[in-house]
Amino acid sequence: MRDTSPDWNNLKLAHENARKQTRVELNWENYEQYWTGRIHDDEDLKARRAELIPLYNFEYDPVKASARVEAGIYRHEAHNWCFQQNAPIYDVKPQLPSVTCPTLVTVGRHDWVTQVSSSETIASLIPKSKLVRRSPQFEEAELFQQTMRDFLAEALPDLEVKR
């Protein structure tokens, strides 16, 4: 599980984090549109993502961030459904203790949306889980990949995993 929350409570703190940050001036109307699922079309979703992406990296590189925005897949209908329909009722905490497979839970140390505490909750509720705090996706990509390989090699010793 990567950078996820067991329920929707993390958004309150995410909003506080967005208001406190000084990296970029946010258009708060656009911000609200994004987080409440009121995106007009795929281009609107891409534009809102481009506005928020500076918040997602500890060390912001505008060229790399722009490339990630361009490489993204945008489906505003799915985005809107998620925030309008799923978000208000999202809570998987009751189901997590029934997960029986080894589970790697990773979270970025500086994630502004999904705080470390969200992943700590998940890891505490899944019996065979391991929590790793990193900046997994981009800033420590090689370390993240190695962490995944090590976890798979330990969890599935009979599987050939390239290290």
Side-chain angles (χ1 to χ4, degrees), residues 1 103-107 119 122-123 126 129-133:
M1 302 182 93
T103 305
L104 178 62
V105 180
T106 66
V107 63
S119 292
I122 291 171
I126 297 176
S129 66
K130 177 181 179 179
L131 175 63
V132 177
R133 296 165 193 90

Side-chain angles (χ1 to χ4, degrees), residues 46 50 53-54 57 60-72 74:
K46 182 178 178 180
I53 206 159
N57 295 104
Y60 177 59
D61 180 333
V63 174
K64 289 180 181 178
S66 179
R68 282 200 315 275
V69 169
E70 290 303 317
Y74 301 95

Side-chain angles (χ1 to χ4, degrees), residues 127-142:
K128 296 178 184 178
S129 66
K130 177 181 179 179
L131 175 63
V132 177
R133 296 165 193 90
R134 300 223 187 301
S135 295
Q137 292 174 288
F138 304 106
E139 293 165 305
E140 295 178 347
E142 288 180 26

Side-chain angles (χ1 to χ4, degrees), residues 23-24 26 49-58 60 65 112:
R23 176 173 285 171
V24 64
L26 293 173
R49 176 78 172 140
E51 289 176 12
L52 293 175
I53 206 159
L55 303 182
Y56 281 90
N57 295 104
F58 184 65
Y60 177 59
W112 74 281

Side-chain angles (χ1 to χ4, degrees), residues 54-119:
L55 303 182
Y56 281 90
N57 295 104
F58 184 65
E59 295 176 10
Y60 177 59
D61 180 333
V63 174
K64 289 180 181 178
S66 179
R68 282 200 315 275
V69 169
E70 290 303 317
I73 298 171
Y74 301 95
R75 300 288 185 262
H76 75 284
E77 299 95 341
H79 173 90
N80 288 347
W81 190 92
C82 172
F83 287 96
Q84 291 174 10
Q85 305 299 318
N86 188 45
I89 60 169
Y90 177 72
D91 184 354
V92 296
K93 292 188 303 296
Q95 292 81 21
L96 293 177
S98 66
V99 175
T100 59
C101 65
T103 305
L104 178 62
V105 180
T106 66
V107 63
R109 290 184 299 264
H110 308 289
D111 193 319
W112 74 281
V113 175
T114 307
Q115 298 79 33
V116 171
S117 61
S118 294
S119 292

Side-chain angles (χ1 to χ4, degrees), residues 15 18-19 24-41 43-53 55-56 79-80 83 112:
H15 296 322
R19 292 212 180 268
V24 64
E25 182 70 31
L26 293 173
N27 176 316
W28 293 106
E29 184 177 327
N30 290 347
Y31 181 93
E32 283 298 315
Q33 257 187 300
Y34 183 89
W35 291 105
T36 59
R38 294 183 290 122
I39 300 295
H40 304 294
D41 55 34
E43 283 302 312
D44 186 32
L45 179 57
K46 182 178 178 180
R48 299 301 72 80
R49 176 78 172 140
E51 289 176 12
L52 293 175
I53 206 159
L55 303 182
Y56 281 90
H79 173 90
N80 288 347
F83 287 96
W112 74 281

